[in-house]
Amino acid sequence: MGKKSAIVWFRSDLRLTDNPALKAAVDAFDVLPVFIYDREAEGDWPFGAASRWWLHHSLARLKESLEEIGSTLIITEGKTVAILEELISQTSAKAIFFNKRYEPAARKIEVELGETLDELKVDCKAFDANLLFPPSSILTKEGNPYKVFTPFWRAFPEPAKPIRKPSAISTVSKLPASKALDSLKLLPTINWDEGIEAAWEPGEAGAQKQLRAFLKEGVAEYKFGRNRPDRVLVSRMSPYLHFGEISPKNLWHAVQQKIDSDGKAQGGGECYLRELAWREFAHNLLFSFPDTAEQPLRPEFKKFPWDSDDLLLKAWHRGNTGYPIVDAGMRELWTTGWMHNRVRMVVASFLVKDLLISWKEGAAWFWDTLVDADLSNNTLGWQWTAGCGADAAPYFRVFNPMTQGEKFDPDGNYVRKWVPELSKLRTKWIHKPWLAPSEELVAAGITLGKDYPAPIVDHAAARHRALDAFASIKTKQQASVK
Ligand SMILES: Cc1cc2nc3c(=O)[nH]c(=O)nc-3n(C[C@H](O)[C@H](O)[C@H](O)COP(=O)(O)OP(=O)(O)OC[C@H]3O[C@@H](n4cnc5c(N)ncnc54)[C@H](O)[C@@H]3O)c2cc1C
């Protein structure tokens, strides 16, 4: 007689290695691996266009990997709990195994599922797999969540080792019908994804390949590379981490091993582990303050006098602001679905401070265009920049797009790559073409306002306007205290 059946519900853990839900199910049951595309399960944050592209390819790779070890992936679409109920009845499953997610909408579904499974007397086996530590396991002495990163990092324990992938899977004998992946219509209907396709290889194998390249070329120079968008020295692991094609434990221990075996990798490697802890910090914050995807963590910012100007917002979206480092970043994002962290900070600062447009508009655009769009990291990144989040940059610190460009893209190569109309301009002017003498512009074949925009705002004046806006909420706060 065969074993009893169980369902393995794949979510943001599209991998076989270090997948505790899969491993535990395979050890004890005939399994049915399932992915459910449920638009409602993401709440107010349904997958953006770039994420859908990634998801399509990631599911295809996961299905292949499962087939290689004797199983398959059933793909379905609709309401999660109803579909799981239906699958339980079709397979007489005795348990559902899954790895937890920590975003507010995903947690709600887990509670709903738990109640339904209780009624059906089916076991609900939930595991922690997508973070190094479950959220809220690292707390202050008083038992509160950390709102400042450094003490959180000081309290950070050594993460456990990853577990191996199953070598074979015994699958339920009567398979329910699966939808064809194409029928989910995850891929864009307009021809926009060529650049993304060229830049990425989604899936578990792609993640391991990317990790090997980073360990070989990037990690030793990571401290330098994390400030240099013109060089390829960061890991680009973010979409793989978000979709769970690699586990953070796998990544942590691979880097730790490199540090242990190669003295040159120590500085960069340790700096990298700290960034992985920022990811944990971000997830802890959203877990403890679940409304921060919509609301500023610092309540005084609810009254911030944001401006709204569709033309300026559109210029920012498309990388036509007239500030080369901002435009290079926004065009890299549009073309590849990703942007270097240094430039994310610069473009975000430009939106919320120079244009005085709400961080929520920026978060929404990133959500749609990033292949690594992640509710915790995106919320932290935007609230940090806007000054309204935990451990945030002070609002009065306004990035100067010219000096940021000159410091972090000193030869102008990043700008030349993504803003080719400026490629012939001498490095001296590449981050401030509007200040270039007219003969330099002529020699570079640029007519400002025609080939490349003049700045859409004056940075110095915009900075003053932003500081005045900030002063106004401080004054309001002081008045309300009195
Ligand atoms: C405005 C803004 C929005 C952002 N939105 C996202 C987002 O939607 N998704 C996302 O994954 N990251 C986001 N980030 C954080 C960061 O920019 C990216 O994680 C990083 O650039 C991804 O590239 P990488 O994998 O090469 O990073 P690396 O520098 O190689 O870092 C390795 C990993 O550490 C984590 N990490 C690094 N920096 C941060 C950080 N500041 N906060 C949290 N985790 C971090 C990421 O998981 C990253 O993959 C945002 C940052 C800003 C300023």
Side-chain angles (χ1 to χ4, degrees), residues 55 165 182 187 227 254 307 329 397 409 414 425:
L55 180 63
K165 76 171 194 184
D182 283 341
L187 295 177
N227 280 318
D307 210 349
R397 194 180 296 154
D409 179 29
Y414 180 69
L425 199 58

Side-chain angles (χ1 to χ4, degrees), residues 92-234:
S92 309
K94 297 290 176 241
I96 296 199
F97 287 74
F98 63 89
N99 295 309
K100 291 182 213 165
R101 282 179 59 182
Y102 308 110
E103 301 92 333
R107 284 164 67 189
K108 227 168 99 189
I109 297 265
E110 289 174 17
V111 172
E112 209 187 304
L113 176 65
E115 287 164 4
T116 305
L117 295 184
D118 258 2
E119 282 166 25
L120 296 175
K121 305 217 175 337
V122 169
D123 273 352
C124 181
K125 302 277 194 189
F127 295 78
D128 286 294
N130 294 336
L131 290 175
L132 294 166
F133 299 99
S136 288
S137 56
I138 303 176
L139 296 170
T140 64
K141 279 199 194 84
E142 294 75 34
N144 298 321
Y146 282 100
K147 286 194 193 171
V148 179
F149 176 74
T150 305
F152 174 81
W153 174 231
R154 269 196 229 112
F156 213 71
E158 173 74 10
K161 293 263 166 62
I163 54 174
R164 283 174 189 280
K165 76 171 194 184
S167 51
I169 294 184
S170 166
T171 309
V172 300
S173 48
K174 261 208 233 147
L175 285 176
S178 174
K179 281 195 131 214
L181 184 52
D182 283 341
S183 73
L184 301 184
K185 296 193 171 40
L186 296 170
L187 295 177
T189 46
I190 54 165
N191 191 10
W192 148 81
D193 53 340
E194 268 172 15
I196 299 188
E197 185 111 39
W200 299 101
E201 188 183 327
E204 206 169 354
Q208 292 299 331
K209 199 161 138 192
Q210 182 71 26
L211 172 59
R212 282 195 296 278
F214 176 63
L215 292 177
K216 192 161 164 238
E217 314 266 337
V219 69
E221 289 197 72
Y222 179 71
K223 253 188 179 165
F224 168 76
R226 61 197 285 269
N227 280 318
R228 290 295 294 265
D230 56 330
R231 305 282 303 278
V232 189
L233 296 172
V234 291

